[in-house]
Amino acid sequence: MRGLILPLIAGLVVAGAFGLWLGLRALPPGETAIIEAQAARYVAETGGQPTDCAARPAAIAGVRLVVTCRADWAVAVDNWGREVALPDLGPKT
């Protein structure tokens, strides 16, 4: 009986650990992580300071946050922190 129970328990532990690992990989990054990543990108591209950046929720489908740094740098990101290309939303004349 012991020869059957120990391998069964070991298999369940391995399956549970694998399921936990897969589940944690499926969680999107938090807003802080997204903002920090985009602020680091801003610093690398412009030489500015990370404290120049702020973010706000977006009301556009497929966009989670819009991260802006100063008045001249902005990027829209999705739930996974990837940049989303937006059409020009400027004034129409």
Side-chain angles (χ1 to χ4, degrees), residues 3 7 9-10 14 19-21 28-29 33 35 51 53-54 60 65 67 71 73 78 80-81 85 88 91:
I9 290 173
V14 169
L20 179 65
W21 178 72
I35 296 166
T51 54
C53 301
I60 303 169
L65 293 171
V67 181
W73 195 92
D78 66 5
W80 294 96
D88 183 19

Side-chain angles (χ1 to χ4, degrees), residues 32-92:
T32 301
I34 292 173
I35 296 166
E36 288 175 348
Q38 294 303 322
R41 179 178 158 202
Y42 166 75
V43 170
E45 289 179 5
T46 67
Q49 298 295 317
T51 54
D52 295 342
C53 301
R56 61 180 170 79
I60 303 169
V63 178
R64 179 175 179 181
L65 293 171
V66 175
V67 181
T68 56
C69 302
R70 298 265 180 184
D72 59 344
W73 195 92
V75 63
V77 293
D78 66 5
N79 284 337
W80 294 96
R82 297 176 298 220
E83 185 174 352
V84 176
L86 296 177
D88 183 19
L89 299 176
K92 294 183 169 73

Side-chain angles (χ1 to χ4, degrees), residues 3-27:
L4 179 64
I5 301 248
L6 290 178
L8 180 62
I9 290 173
L12 289 174
V13 167
V14 169
F18 183 68
L20 179 65
W21 178 72
L22 284 177
L24 291 176
R25 288 192 57 197
L27 291 175

